[in-house]
Amino acid sequence: MRIALTLAALALSTQTALAAQCGGSFSGFVQDMKSEAVAKGYKQGLVNKFFANVKQDPRTLKADRAQGVFQKPFVDFSRRLISQNRIDVGRSKARTYANTFDRIEQKYGVSRGVLLAFWAFETDYGSFQGDFNTLNSLVTLAHDCRRPELFRPQVFAALELYKRGAFSPTKTTGAWAGEIGMVQMLPADIIENGVDGDGDGKVSLKTSPQDALMSGGKMLSHLGWRKGEPWLQEVTVPAKMDWSQSGLDTTKQASEWARLGVKPREGKLANLPASLLLPQGRKGPAFLAYPNFRVYFEWNQSFVYVATAAYFGTRLEGAKPYNAGNPEPGLAGAQMKQLQKKLKARGHDVGKVDGILGAKTRAAVQKEQKRLGLPADAWPTPALLNKL
């Protein structure tokens, strides 16, 4: 599920973005990668063995194109991913690996609920880590011209792991997008953030929960996680306010939100800057998103996934189920694509027209709502589509 854009991957991609090739003959593409690997200093024999059995994987491309689950609105998506069983198992895992989570919190400042939620969503606590051949998936996605700047560097990171004896071109398996292990890390992430959490002298993200969790904690720390701070808090909002102030583009001190009538459902507001998050508009669930919430987008770029993972992390630490409210009806996939086309025609950057309500589409929706005199809560409705 995760499509990472980690700092390590980005750092590597900037070095090769201009030179990266994609498309054309697959065998010719592989030969080009082999030549580049040798130019990077890897021995020809090692390179030949690494690429010896690589194949283009149609299943990977099919999975890359079929991410319709992200078209679901927050309430539907979160209810699909968060079951009572996942909550119960998560709390049991928190007890079983309490010492590991204590070490993570002390060293990296990442709360256990955060990693438990990723562990649950990525692999169902390690029970299904993916059966795609990792090298085939990475090379297939590097050859595909949709995101070669992300996946080409990951092939060379996998080569480095192979050189170190930590990767098998034929036996290493994982998710369709090349992530490996219980919390699904790309090869460059593993090189940068892999931790031997159980003290056996190896980093085994597929078989060792301690290794996987410690590595995930280190990666979040490197991505900018602020030690010991909250990430998301459910709130209630007044019936009327300036809804254009909601969304991730606007940040206020929590005390300012309180003066505007925003109240916590539980506990107290943190003394931190925050954004008011309304995943399904002013009549649906409401949250304050603190600075750590933005780190989630370095793990996954899907708004609905990020909001759900962040919320689930709070649930695993004892928060109440959110108040779903009574959101206005949204748009179906075809309607959302129609909306995105209309927004693009008006000059807004919505990214790919894919029927998914991502951060760019939400920002464009909010601007158009404000222009048209509608409540600017970034939740697209049939009324907005009709007015456009």
Side-chain angles (χ1 to χ4, degrees):
M1 181 174 287
R2 185 170 71 90
I3 304 172
L5 281 173
T6 63
L7 293 183
L10 288 171
L12 285 165
S13 70
T14 55
Q15 298 170 13
T16 60
L18 295 176
Q21 303 294 317
C22 65
S25 159
F26 187 76
S27 59
F29 175 80
V30 172
Q31 186 58 49
D32 177 61
M33 294 211 75
K34 291 170 70 173
S35 298
E36 185 173 343
V38 172
K40 288 177 179 290
Y42 293 97
K43 292 183 179 179
Q44 186 71 62
L46 181 81
V47 171
N48 289 343
K49 288 181 181 178
F50 180 72
F51 286 104
N53 298 293
V54 70
K55 298 175 183 176
Q56 192 170 21
D57 187 355
R59 273 206 315 151
T60 294
L61 293 175
K62 184 177 179 181
D64 185 44
R65 304 297 192 261
Q67 299 186 64
V69 66
F70 293 111
Q71 293 180 351
K72 291 183 177 294
F74 170 76
V75 171
D76 293 348
F77 185 86
S78 61
R79 286 175 175 171
R80 175 171 173 168
L81 264 65
I82 300 171
S83 64
Q84 188 59 49
N85 180 65
R86 274 187 165 168
I87 293 171
D88 294 341
V89 172
R91 289 173 178 166
S92 174
K93 296 287 187 186
R95 292 189 294 271
T96 300
Y97 298 102
N99 289 339
T100 299
F101 286 116
D102 287 343
R103 289 166 59 202
I104 292 169
E105 290 179 3
Q106 182 178 15
K107 188 166 186 177
Y108 303 119
V110 179
S111 189
R112 59 198 65 201
V114 174
L115 287 167
L116 282 165
F118 282 132
W119 194 10
F121 287 177
E122 300 296 348
T123 63
D124 225 357
Y125 302 108
S127 63
F128 184 72
Q129 300 180 33
D131 58 358
F132 288 80
N133 176 281
T134 299
L135 181 59
N136 288 347
S137 288
L138 288 174
V139 177
T140 296
L141 291 168
H143 173 259
D144 183 44
C145 287
R146 198 160 84 83
R147 288 169 298 162
E149 73 284 352
L150 171 61
F151 291 105
R152 190 180 180 97
Q154 297 298 335
V155 176
F156 296 115
L159 174 59
E160 177 60 29
L161 288 174
Y162 174 62
K163 180 183 176 182
R164 300 178 185 184
F167 184 94
S168 168
T170 56
K171 295 180 181 179
T172 297
T173 58
W176 63 264
E179 303 100 340
I180 302 165
M182 294 190 185
V183 295
Q184 301 284 267
M185 294 172 66
L186 287 163
D189 300 330
I190 298 171
I191 291 172
E192 181 76 14
N193 299 302
V195 177
D196 173 17
D198 58 16
D200 68 351
K202 299 179 292 183
V203 177
S204 305
L205 303 186
K206 291 174 71 71
T207 58
S208 170
Q210 296 93 331
D211 289 8
L213 293 167
M214 290 290 290
S215 299
K218 182 181 178 183
M219 186 168 80
L220 286 168
S221 175
H222 280 189
L223 291 173
W225 193 269
R226 291 164 55 153
K227 191 170 184 177
E229 291 187 6
W231 56 97
L232 193 74
Q233 182 178 20
E234 190 183 4
V235 295
T236 61
V237 294
K240 293 183 179 180
M241 66 178 295
D242 181 1
W243 302 110
S244 68
Q245 297 299 297
S246 66
L248 293 175
D249 289 340
T250 300
T251 301
K252 300 178 185 292
Q253 284 295 128
S255 56
E256 292 183 65
W257 289 118
R259 283 194 291 272
L260 293 172
V262 175
K263 299 177 181 178
R265 277 196 76 203
E266 296 180 89
K268 298 179 179 179
L269 298 180
N271 184 26
L272 292 168
S275 298
L276 178 61
L277 207 62
L278 306 173
Q280 286 185 235
R282 67 197 187 284
K283 297 182 180 180
F287 304 92
L288 280 188
Y290 295 107
N292 276 336
F293 180 80
R294 297 177 187 274
V295 177
Y296 278 80
F297 286 102
E298 301 292 344
W299 187 292
N300 188 299
Q301 287 198 309
S302 165
F303 176 89
V304 69
Y305 178 91
V306 161
T308 301
Y311 159 70
F312 189 37
T314 68
R315 281 295 309 279
L316 288 166
E317 296 195 1
K320 294 179 183 177
Y322 62 70
N323 178 7
N326 188 28
E328 293 185 60
L331 302 178
Q335 290 176 308
M336 189 69 75
K337 287 183 179 180
Q338 186 182 4
L339 173 73
Q340 289 175 321
K341 289 177 182 177
K342 289 179 179 291
L343 292 170
K344 286 193 81 165
R346 291 197 60 83
H348 296 287
D349 177 14
V350 299
K352 183 182 177 183
V353 175
D354 54 10
I356 297 173
L357 181 59
K360 290 182 178 180
T361 300
R362 294 179 70 91
V365 164
Q366 192 168 44
K367 289 174 183 176
E368 287 301 309
Q369 286 172 325
K370 190 171 184 179
R371 181 182 68 84
L372 294 167
L374 297 170
D377 59 5
W379 176 240
T381 62
L384 172 64
L385 183 59
N386 291 337
K387 278 185 174 287
L388 287 174

